[in-house]
Amino acid sequence: KMIEERKASATGVDFSGEMIRVAKSKYPGIEFLEGDAQQLDLADESFDAVVMNFGMLHFSQPLLAMKEALRVLRPKGWFAFTVWTNPVHSPAASIMFEAKQKFADMNVPMPAGFPYSFFESSENCRNFLSEAGFDPASMHYEHQTVHWLVPTAGYLFDAELNSVVRNAAFLRQQSPENLLKMRAYVEEGMQQFKVSEGYSLPFLGCVIAAEKQ
């Protein structure tokens, strides 16, 4: 609706063909492309704005994604992205984090990646954006709390196990006994967020934006 109100033309990009299929079914009027944000198949200076929703930590080379955003932006265009904070600072995420610390085998193999809280640092964000070619003086950085309404106390654990990329890979390497202990801990911790419609889970995220010079 906002795109229509602004009379804007949008293009969505995701590496997952299934995500593209779902997006097209929900928003048939928007163009969606399967692709890699670190190597976009899009023309130079073809967009006024580029936005990325919680994708930065999934890249092997996030600086390349920022440089690609810069490349496809017109002069004075803006790039904005979101990341979650360190889970110890996020009320709902901290419960899942505590469950893993208490009951999980932490010595399971995981692919290399940037630290979860790397872009929680405004200095790290400014340094990366500057190296990519954005105007560091233009950077906007703020924290925002969002609430996720879910139907059951176990919904977060199931989502982490079956949907979230890195956490799912970690949890699937745990023993059934460890998973049961973690699930029980998380479900108990969720009770503080109970509301009439289910459970309103607060998560803390960062919103970062910068202008192309």
Side-chain angles (χ1 to χ4, degrees):
K1 184 178 179 181
M2 184 178 294
I3 290 174
E4 294 173 352
E5 290 174 351
R6 290 177 176 269
K7 296 180 171 58
S9 175
T11 300
V13 178
D14 197 278
F15 76 96
S16 167
E18 179 61 16
M19 288 288 283
I20 295 297
R21 185 194 67 77
V22 172
K24 286 181 175 179
S25 69
K26 290 188 174 183
Y27 303 99
I30 297 177
E31 180 182 20
F32 292 98
L33 305 173
E34 188 173 343
D36 181 356
Q38 298 171 128
Q39 192 175 2
L40 292 169
D41 187 20
L42 297 167
D44 294 356
E45 299 187 358
S46 52
F47 292 90
D48 296 309
V50 175
V51 296
M52 182 184 299
N53 192 36
F54 299 108
M56 196 61 72
L57 291 176
H58 294 304
F59 300 129
S60 58
Q61 301 182 73
L63 183 59
L64 287 183
M66 290 186 179
K67 288 182 176 180
E68 279 294 88
L70 183 89
R71 180 183 65 80
V72 302
L73 277 171
R74 297 185 179 99
K76 300 300 181 182
W78 281 81
F79 170 53
F81 66 96
T82 52
V83 292
W84 297 117
T85 64
N86 187 308
V88 300
H89 302 144
S90 186
S94 67
I95 295 172
M96 188 71 202
F97 178 77
E98 291 167 5
K100 291 192 294 183
Q101 296 296 311
K102 288 177 179 292
F103 302 114
D105 175 6
M106 305 303 290
N107 297 312
V108 297
M110 290 289 291
F114 272 71
Y116 192 92
S117 57
F118 185 85
F119 290 107
E120 184 181 9
S121 162
S122 60
E123 182 179 358
N124 288 344
C125 291
R126 183 174 286 105
N127 289 341
F128 262 56
L129 288 164
S130 178
E131 187 174 350
F134 290 94
D135 177 9
S138 72
M139 190 184 82
H140 172 85
Y141 177 99
E142 66 177 75
H143 287 104
Q144 287 285 342
T145 298
V146 295
H147 287 80
W148 184 24
L149 183 62
V150 300
T152 67
Y155 196 92
L156 174 62
F157 186 87
D158 289 334
E160 295 273 357
L161 179 62
N162 299 311
S163 303
V164 180
V165 181
R166 290 186 65 84
N167 278 350
F170 175 83
L171 291 173
R172 287 171 185 167
Q173 297 182 75
Q174 302 300 315
S175 69
E177 293 79 12
N178 285 353
L179 289 175
L180 284 173
K181 291 176 182 178
M182 284 186 279
R183 178 186 289 277
Y185 186 91
V186 171
E187 289 186 355
E188 181 179 353
M190 291 298 107
Q191 297 310 313
Q192 63 188 288
F193 306 126
K194 185 75 175 70
V195 295
S196 58
E197 303 91 345
Y199 296 80
S200 182
L201 311 185
F203 290 89
L204 184 63
C206 308
V207 181
I208 304 103
E211 186 181 36
K212 181 175 181 175
Q213 300 187 65

